[in-house]
Amino acid sequence: MSDQPLESELPAIEFPAISSAKESDRVHLLDWTTEELASWLGARSIPKFRAAQIQRWIYQRRAKQFEQMTDLPKDLRTLLDEHFDLFRTTTAAHQHAADGTEKLLLQLVDGGRIECVLLRDGPRRSICVSSQVGCAMGCVFCASGLDGVERNLTRGEILEQMLKLQHLLEADERLSHIVMMGMGEPLANLPRVLAALSVAKDSEFGLGISPRRITISTVGLPPAIDKLAAADAPYHLAISLHAPNDGLRNRLVPVNQTIGIQAILDAADRYFAKTKRRLTFEYVLLGGLNDSIQCARELVQLLRHRTAMLNVIPYNPVPGLPYQTPTPSAVLQFRRTLLDGGVNAMFRQRKGDEIQAACGQLRRLREREPQVVSIQSTKTS
Ligand code: SAH
């Protein structure tokens, strides 16, 4: 898939060039496909099957260094070490919550910082992964976009988050779900996101997670939703709606001003028609703003005839922003109105509250007031 049309649909953003010596001299191996690695090895008269072996070590056997790939000849391990970085981020913070949630703040080679989260829920081991440094969408209640977007993440940087979270698992735990719900707008970086997810779903050399268990969450960019529908796998699509009418959504999700809810619902319907995957709409409940019975009634009108689920999430307050979690009675009334109206709604509990698990929060705390966070800092690679 070409990068060109997708990015030209978005507001023009100048991404600074990455000029680290380390980056320019060495290759981030996670940026390469098995075929690219095989041809690099082939050019050095090394059997191509070694590429598959190396990929399995990385994605399935959880190797952290080439040194650990013990069934590769020693001189091949040395050669790989000379030419490639396996992991490029350093762990700036590692937080654990009592409910088993763990969050990593990763520092990239150019100094940018991204967050990713491991959630433990019964047998599920879900990971929440970032797609950009910052975010350009400007949702008024969200910590990720407060300083705009710095740049897209590379394929390797997206995969590195998945792997570093996989390293946190015990030997008997397995990743089961991926949600692209960290920092950034995944559909504004679709080629890299799809490249990384094709490794995530690959059971031969990659992580082997079914596309049904991989969710791409978007603010709702219709042309990119159509491109996603044409992608090689029917991923689960989640659309962050947050308001039932354009007046309110324009205020909460400013990018809506040039898109509009109807265009998003039309794109969602096309996605469903093409993939037959049930859609999810997300709705962050903001106390006194979008939690009225009237909002719930309007949502019923939008959603009752669609094969869709509504995921209602109480707002996780962001320090410095004036938005609030809804009251329990508002949540109750909202819920009753939706269920009475025949909407398939799920009301989510917040997880990982004490470690600022909502999008972009940890990064801001670490930038502005590092002393207030209790962190078990770990140094890696
Ligand atoms: N840009 C994508 C994905 C990243 S955000 C999107 O908009 O879907 C993932 C979800 O978390 C979105 O629904 C977003 O609106 C929501 N979110 C952001 N900040 C939040 C907060 N403080 N509390 C609860 N949900 C939040």
Side-chain angles (χ1 to χ4, degrees):
M1 180 179 297
S2 137
D3 291 6
Q4 223 25 56
L6 241 187
E7 285 169 359
S8 61
E9 285 149 13
L10 295 164
I13 298 160
E14 291 284 322
F15 294 118
I18 301 170
S19 61
S20 144
K22 196 177 178 198
E23 175 112 351
S24 57
D25 297 347
R26 298 164 63 82
V27 172
H28 191 194
L29 188 53
L30 305 182
D31 276 330
W32 277 17
T33 62
T34 309
E35 295 71 37
E36 285 170 313
L37 179 57
S39 78
W40 185 89
L41 294 169
R44 284 157 185 79
S45 310
I46 298 165
K48 293 191 173 186
F49 76 85
R50 294 288 183 202
Q53 224 178 338
I54 293 164
Q55 298 290 65
R56 288 202 192 95
W57 268 111
I58 297 171
Y59 295 102
Q60 297 174 357
R61 302 178 75 179
R62 307 182 189 181
K64 295 179 181 165
Q65 292 156 346
F66 294 115
E67 190 50 38
Q68 293 172 322
M69 304 180 181
T70 44
D71 53 5
L72 299 184
K74 181 94 184 96
D75 52 354
L76 174 55
R77 282 182 266 161
T78 308
L79 183 74
L80 292 171
D81 230 2
E82 280 166 12
H83 285 83
F84 298 100
D85 285 331
L86 185 46
F87 295 104
R88 276 205 161 160
T89 64
T90 49
T91 304
H94 178 184
Q95 297 187 324
H96 303 251
D99 64 8
T101 304
E102 293 185 55
K103 182 164 190 168
L104 296 176
L105 178 66
L106 299 178
Q107 175 138 346
L108 308 169
V109 278
D110 61 354
R113 286 176 161 202
I114 52 168
E115 302 177 11
C116 53
V117 184
L118 165 68
L119 297 124
R120 292 182 165 91
D121 189 7
R124 283 187 179 213
R125 296 293 174 270
S126 309
I127 56 173
C128 175
V129 174
S130 294
S131 55
Q132 298 181 307
V133 186
C135 185
M137 300 300 119
C139 303
V140 293
F141 52 84
C142 175
S144 290
L146 288 175
D147 302 317
V149 66
E150 280 175 42
R151 67 172 172 90
N152 285 327
L153 293 180
T154 61
R155 171 198 203 262
E157 288 166 337
I158 297 169
L159 284 169
E160 182 155 334
Q161 297 171 68
M162 299 178 190
L163 292 170
K164 288 219 157 165
L165 292 166
Q166 181 169 250
H167 292 166
L168 302 179
L169 297 177
E170 301 295 333
D172 62 351
E173 291 181 303
R174 283 182 60 82
L175 289 185
S176 63
H177 294 75
I178 298 178
V179 293
M180 295 302 305
M181 283 192 191
M183 287 170 59
E185 168 50 47
L187 294 195
N189 187 17
L190 190 56
R192 265 76 45 177
V193 167
L194 286 179
L197 291 183
S198 80
V199 181
K201 74 176 171 62
D202 176 12
S203 50
E204 210 180 348
F205 307 122
L207 295 171
I209 297 175
S210 158
R212 293 164 185 271
R213 295 177 166 198
I214 297 178
T215 299
I216 300 182
S217 177
T218 177
V219 74
L221 305 175
I225 292 174
D226 288 336
K227 290 207 163 69
L228 184 63
D232 61 342
Y235 297 109
H236 181 196
L237 182 66
I239 296 178
S240 296
L241 196 57
H242 306 330
N245 58 65
D246 282 328
L248 184 55
R249 195 168 195 266
N250 288 346
R251 279 167 57 203
L252 300 179
V253 182
V255 75
N256 191 65
Q257 291 160 18
T258 54
I259 302 172
I261 290 175
Q262 192 53 50
I264 295 172
L265 293 177
D266 291 346
D269 291 344
R270 290 193 294 274
Y271 192 84
F272 176 72
K274 178 88 195 291
T275 63
K276 296 287 178 282
R277 286 280 178 273
R278 189 178 63 169
L279 299 160
T280 297
F281 290 93
E282 289 164 282
Y283 196 97
V284 171
L285 267 188
L286 301 154
L289 264 179
N290 65 355
D291 61 347
S292 66
I293 294 179
Q294 177 57 25
C295 282
R297 288 193 183 124
E298 289 180 47
L299 272 176
V300 168
Q301 294 311 315
L302 291 184
L303 300 182
R304 67 198 285 183
H305 297 303
R306 290 193 157 82
T307 310
M309 199 183 82
L310 184 70
N311 217 348
V312 184
I313 312 137
Y315 182 57
N316 196 350
V318 175
L321 292 184
Y323 306 101
Q324 280 152 20
T325 301
T327 62
S329 73
V331 176
L332 216 68
Q333 285 186 318
F334 199 83
R335 180 189 179 123
R336 197 171 303 132
T337 311
L338 288 174
L339 297 181
D340 288 351
V343 170
N344 182 4
M346 281 278 290
F347 281 69
R348 298 272 176 203
Q349 296 293 321
R350 296 202 306 245
K351 282 184 78 74
D353 266 16
E354 72 266 43
I355 59 168
Q356 294 84 34
C359 200
Q361 292 194 23
L362 177 59
R363 182 177 76 132
R364 289 190 74 73
L365 276 177
R366 291 290 285 171
E367 276 164 5
R368 280 153 197 242
E369 25 180 343
Q371 72 282 7
V372 302
V373 196
S374 134
I375 298 208
Q376 176 195 322
S377 205
T378 45
K379 253 195 148 57
T380 53
S381 63

